Each structure stands twice: as C-alpha cells, then as structure tokens.
C-alpha cells in the first residue's frame, strides 16, 4: 500500500532528524508529532511545540509526561510567532493543519497565519532542513487554506528551496495531502 500523507510526513522527517537537533511542531494538537519528534532528537535535542488551545497543550503535556519526555517546550501561542520563541538552526518543522480531532471544529489553522509561520520557519531552517505540512482539506476553510498554501509554496525561490506536493488523485474523500519544503544546501 502507498503510504498516506501522515505516514509520508514522518518518513520525510525521520530521514533528516538527528539526536541533538532543534525541531518544531507548529500544531501540537494531541501531541502525537511532538512525541515522535522528541524521540528522534533524543535528550540532547529540543522540540518546540505550538498550539493556541489550552486543551491541546494539556493533552500534549500529558502524552509527553507519560512517555517520560523532558526535552520539549510547549508554547501556548500561534505558530506565526515562532521566531519569538525558537532559536536559529532548526532541522525540521512540522504542521498538521485543520482542527483538533474531538474538539471545537471552528478552531482551525488559517491560511494567513500558516503562511506567516512558514515564512518564519524558512528563515530559522538549517540548510537541507525541511518543513513538512500535512494539509487537511475535507472542511470548507481547509479547502481555502489548501489553495492559498499551494499558491504560496509554488512561488518560493527555486534557488533557495525545493518544494514537493504529494496527493492521491483518484480518491473521493479528500484525503490529506503533503507539502515538503527543503532548504537548499547553498542557500543561506
Ligand atoms: N487535522 C489533524 C489535526 C490538526 S490539529 C488531524 O486530524 O489529525 C491542528 C491544531 O492546530 C489544533 O490543535 C489547533 O488548535 C492548532 N492551531 C490552530 N491555529 C494555530 C496557530 N495559529 N498556531 C498554532 N496552532 C494552531
């Protein structure tokens, strides 16, 4: 079976993340990715995880505590403010867009802020670092976010970044899609 977008996102992260790295979970949600990242960077590395909902930060906190993880910093703030909290030389940033499963569906990521956050992340990223975005577009605002996001990443400088878009083309239920942005080696 071909891997779905979520699995693909993890493969693209795993390929490059090393113990000791600084990485970012831009949408902590229930904390699955935060935990995944914390294990990859090990105790010598650091994970910064953002969410605007207390509920999400608490769920993430609980998940990390249960796993004995101490190298994650949870930030109750929008990812568009990433540069205020995260140092330079980040290896990877992951976004899982949309709404928190099981919570208020009206609280979703928004294209303007998502794009602002990606712009900030592009500057924090190490050469050969990656931004991995899982796009959920089954809901109305998700369709708008998808369109604006694809337009934005399509316009990124070819000299500085490689941009990949992965989508299943013959499925009727709007399965999540993936975008990966890799900063080129020679780029600053
Ligand atoms: N759709 C995914 C989960 C997405 S969770 C799935 O089904 O598995 C998305 C998270 O992003 C939510 O917890 C939400 O609170 C958070 N979020 C929304 N806007 C945000 C922002 N500006 N900054 C950080 N997190 C945000």
């Amino acid at each position: 079976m071909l891997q779905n977008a979520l699995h693909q996102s993890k493969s693209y992260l795993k390929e490059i993340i090393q113990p000791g790295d600084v990485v970012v979970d831009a949408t902590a949600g229930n904390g699955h990715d935060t935990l995944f990242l914390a294990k990859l960077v090990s105790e010598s590395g650091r994970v910064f995880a953002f969410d605007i909902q207390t509920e999400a930060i608490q769920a993430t906190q609980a998940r990390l505590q249960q796993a004995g993880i101490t190298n994650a910093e949870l930030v109750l703030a929008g990812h568009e403010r990433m540069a205020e909290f995260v140092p330079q030389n980040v290896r990877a940033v992951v976004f899982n867009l949309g709404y928190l499963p099981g919570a208020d569906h009206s609280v979703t990521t928004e294209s303007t802020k998502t794009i602002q956050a990606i712009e900030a992340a592009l500057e924090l990223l190490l050469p050969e670092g990656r931004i991995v975005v899982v796009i959920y577009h089954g809901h109305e605002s998700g369709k708008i976010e998808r369109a604006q996001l694809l337009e934005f990443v399509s316009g990124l400088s070819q000299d500085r970044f490689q941009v990949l878009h992965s989508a299943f083309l013959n499925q009727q239920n709007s399965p999540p899609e993936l975008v990966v942005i890799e900063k080129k080696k020679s780029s600053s």
Side-chain angles (χ1 to χ4, degrees), residues 6 25-30 32 50-53 56-57 75 77-81 96-101 103 107-110 113-114 117 134-136 139:
L6 195 61
D25 183 352
T27 50
N30 286 317
H32 294 283
F50 292 84
D51 209 291
I52 52 169
Q53 296 190 78
I57 293 293
V75 186
H79 42 221
E80 63 280 2
R81 294 178 55 200
N96 262 285
L97 303 181
Y99 50 78
L100 182 63
V107 183
T108 73
T109 52
E110 295 166 29
K113 289 175 182 167
T114 304
V134 183
I135 305 171
Y136 292 79
H139 56 298

Side-chain angles (χ1 to χ4, degrees), residues 13-132:
L13 292 166
K14 228 176 179 164
E15 271 177 9
I16 59 158
I17 296 174
Q18 304 289 328
D21 282 350
V22 175
V23 298
V24 178
D25 183 352
T27 50
N30 286 317
H32 294 283
D33 282 347
T34 311
L35 177 59
F36 171 76
L37 293 171
K39 287 179 179 168
L40 287 178
V41 300
S42 82
E43 278 170 30
S44 57
R46 262 164 109 198
V47 184
F48 291 85
F50 292 84
D51 209 291
I52 52 169
Q53 296 190 78
T54 311
E55 197 179 339
I57 293 293
Q58 284 171 350
T60 301
Q61 179 94 56
R63 189 176 301 282
L64 296 176
Q65 228 157 34
Q66 201 166 36
I69 299 288
T70 53
N71 59 344
E73 235 167 273
L74 307 185
V75 186
L76 181 62
H79 42 221
E80 63 280 2
R81 294 178 55 200
M82 193 181 302
E84 293 174 41
F85 299 91
V86 181
Q88 283 286 332
N89 298 330
V90 169
R91 182 79 66 192
V93 181
V94 61
F95 291 80
N96 262 285
L97 303 181
Y99 50 78
L100 182 63
D104 184 352
H105 287 196
S106 69
V107 183
T108 73
T109 52
E110 295 166 29
S111 58
T112 315
K113 289 175 182 167
T114 304
I115 290 169
Q116 272 176 26
I118 292 175
E119 282 178 321
L122 289 172
E123 297 312 314
L124 296 172
L125 214 57
L126 283 165
E128 297 185 297
R130 290 176 182 169
I131 299 172
V132 174

Side-chain angles (χ1 to χ4, degrees), residues 127-128 158-162 182-187:
E128 297 185 297
Q158 190 179 345
D159 294 334
R160 294 188 69 203
F161 305 105
Q162 278 195 297
E182 184 172 280
K183 198 176 211 174
K184 285 192 171 177
K185 203 174 182 176
S186 57
S187 121

